[in-house]
Amino acid sequence: MNSDYADTPYDKWGADTGVRPQLLVSAAKFPQYRHVPGAVSVPDYLQGGDAERTALDLATRMPPDAVIARMESDLLRAARLRELLRLPGQDFASTLAFRDKVRMKTLVRRSGIAVPEFAPIRVLFDLLGFVREHGYPVVVKPALGSGSTGTQVLRGPADLARLLTEGLPEQALVERFVEGRMYVVDGLVSAGRPVAAFVSRYLNDCLSFHDGIYLGSAQLTRDHPLTDRLITYAHKVLDALPTPECTTFHLEVFHTPDDRLVLCEIGSRTGGALTAPAIHAATGYNLDEQWFRAQVAPDSLTDARFHGVAPGRSAGWVVFYPERATLTALPQNPPPFVAEERLRATLGATYQGGVKSAHYLAAYVLTGADDQEVERHATELARWYAAGVRWTGHENENAFTTTDTTETTNTNTN
């Protein structure tokens, strides 16, 4: 894993189940897991084969009952490991259907669900031909990407020329740009059926990190006119794919000005940023913990079923990204509607701006009566943050980037 302990405290989740987690942790995140028995630091976690070799060696010495992976970048190799060890759980074919956007959209379109016109880019003529047929704007993205990394909107020939100069993403696809507001459905599938679903909408968009603009999300209460419709839509998308017996899911869908729902994409994992903490703040339901229990101790699952959050009990999150400068101060004492604060920053460190939607500098869980109030609170929070954060040296565009793994968590009980 390469996630913060606050997101994946597997030892706490399994404490009452008799499960003994053996954790393979990136060297960068390992200080947060040092206290967990069975945690192993993996120096080159994301590439180089260290994680795979360590996993097979560990499985030989202590055969596991399950392979757990929450991060999108871990899903395919976890699926293959399950197959090698003949363990239950999501297999490689199912995982690939959720990870490969070309395969995903092909399967969903076959079921009759609307998706944008799209095409894989195998050679440059695929992109040029698509633009010639469909015109601008178009979106180019890695087929196996995550966190909006490498995603670009081409609005005209100048954008196309810039992309060709920079180089196409590996295994890319191109699709027509869809006008509309982005909505999200996150939930849990257990024993082959959806048992919880929560609807939210983005505040700003997933490419905000490119421009240093905050990204946020607000939960829709179950009395919102779109909640039922979006959850029903999510079930149809899950039915169109080889959905495993147990998974969380993160569906992004456009609601167009002419009232259509058009698929953006879906992942067989929990939404990023502070999606799970925001759901917990609104409902008391820990989505990731229930996903973990469904795989290792299904008898310990809560009996609660969720179809959106209750009226009057919304929540959301906001994340702020680094600038191309040196950080000298962060704001203190967040407003009372902030339920949780997470900081991933080092004062005095120099950053090179946002590189991925999940790589935030500071993040906050907000509460409110509904999505509209959460959005108003997000605007107020952005003003508070701007007044308190301090950067120097903006002119130094080639400064060394510091990546910090320290995280602090503050729960506001006001």
Side-chain angles (χ1 to χ4, degrees):
M1 66 181 65
N2 191 38
S3 55
D4 291 313
Y5 179 76
D7 291 319
T8 47
Y10 291 125
D11 58 325
K12 290 183 178 179
W13 293 345
D16 63 346
T17 66
V19 172
R20 293 186 302 165
Q22 303 293 317
L23 307 181
L24 274 61
V25 188
S26 69
K29 300 294 184 181
F30 183 73
Q32 301 180 38
Y33 294 85
R34 193 185 305 275
H35 66 284
V36 180
V40 177
S41 177
V42 181
D44 195 4
Y45 182 82
L46 295 177
Q47 56 189 1
D50 287 345
E52 286 83 354
R53 287 193 296 267
T54 303
L56 283 176
D57 178 65
L58 189 62
T60 300
R61 292 185 286 109
M62 292 180 290
D65 296 315
V67 174
I68 305 295
R70 178 182 178 274
M71 289 179 51
E72 192 157 25
S73 58
D74 283 339
L75 298 182
L76 284 170
R77 57 183 179 178
R80 187 65 84 203
L81 181 59
R82 290 187 195 101
E83 293 180 343
L84 287 173
L85 301 177
R86 293 185 171 87
L87 292 173
Q90 188 176 25
D91 62 22
F92 195 86
S94 169
T95 307
L96 193 61
F98 283 87
R99 286 286 284 121
D100 184 336
K101 297 174 180 60
V102 172
R103 183 174 300 220
M104 170 203 306
K105 294 182 179 186
T106 299
L107 292 172
V108 171
R109 184 167 59 185
R110 284 176 185 168
S111 73
I113 297 173
V115 302
E117 289 295 327
F118 70 94
I121 302 174
R122 302 292 183 248
V123 295
L124 181 56
F125 284 120
D126 294 329
L127 172 58
L128 299 179
F130 190 91
V131 171
R132 186 173 184 178
E133 179 180 357
H134 298 285
Y136 294 102
V138 299
V139 180
V140 176
K141 62 178 72 174
L144 295 174
S146 64
S148 300
T149 304
T151 298
Q152 300 189 46
V153 179
L154 309 184
R155 300 187 181 277
D159 289 336
L160 176 61
R162 173 182 46 78
L163 174 63
L164 298 183
T165 299
E166 296 173 352
L168 286 166
E170 188 175 358
Q171 298 186 57
L173 79 153
V174 57
E175 59 186 36
R176 293 190 68 174
F177 182 87
V178 178
E179 292 286 353
R181 171 170 277 181
M182 177 82 79
Y183 288 87
V184 177
V185 185
D186 288 281
L188 173 66
V189 173
S190 179
R193 61 190 182 91
V195 297
F198 306 91
V199 179
S200 59
R201 61 180 176 89
Y202 282 127
L203 311 177
N204 295 325
D205 65 57
C206 292
L207 298 180
S208 298
F209 68 94
H210 283 307
D211 303 315
I213 303 170
Y214 75 82
L215 174 63
S217 174
Q219 289 283 325
L220 274 59
T221 50
R222 66 176 65 105
D223 58 347
H224 189 285
L226 281 176
T227 297
D228 283 347
R229 183 178 171 191
L230 286 165
I231 291 177
T232 299
Y233 177 89
H235 291 179
K236 291 179 180 178
V237 173
L238 291 169
D239 287 342
L241 295 168
T243 303
E245 284 289 296
C246 178
T247 185
T248 53
F249 62 89
H250 176 71
L251 168 72
E252 296 178 339
V253 55
F254 299 105
H255 182 225
T256 67
D258 58 350
D259 197 34
R260 293 180 299 120
L261 297 180
V262 180
L263 177 73
C264 177
E265 58 189 61
I266 185 172
S268 55
R269 46 87 179 176
T270 305
L274 271 64
T275 296
I279 291 171
H280 186 262
T283 65
Y285 184 82
N286 192 319
L287 178 60
D288 280 328
E289 180 178 357
Q290 293 303 306
W291 159 80
F292 173 78
R293 289 176 176 272
Q295 294 174 89
V296 303
D299 292 342
S300 69
L301 276 177
T302 178
D303 291 332
R305 298 290 185 268
F306 286 91
H307 189 86
V309 302
R313 292 288 304 275
S314 183
W317 52 263
V318 168
V319 296
F320 296 96
Y321 298 106
E323 298 184 15
R324 289 178 173 268
T326 300
L327 179 68
T328 60
L330 283 171
Q332 303 293 318
N333 302 316
F337 53 74
V338 171
E340 186 174 334
E341 175 187 57
R342 296 192 190 181
L343 305 177
R344 293 174 170 174
T346 298
L347 296 183
T350 300
Y351 297 87
Q352 288 296 298
V355 296
K356 188 175 182 178
S357 64
H359 291 179
Y360 58 80
L361 192 74
Y364 304 86
V365 174
L366 318 179
T367 57
D370 55 23
D371 62 301
Q372 298 294 329
E373 185 171 47
V374 171
E375 184 171 20
R376 291 193 295 271
H377 285 167
T379 302
E380 182 179 340
L381 183 78
R383 289 195 294 264
W384 166 83
Y385 185 84
V389 70
R390 294 289 182 271
W391 298 92
T392 61
H394 286 84
E395 73 284 357
N396 186 3
E397 294 295 325
N398 296 314
F400 175 73
T401 301
T402 299
T403 301
D404 182 67
T405 60
T406 302
E407 173 173 338
T408 62
T409 301
N410 176 52
T411 301
N412 190 330
T413 57
N414 291 337

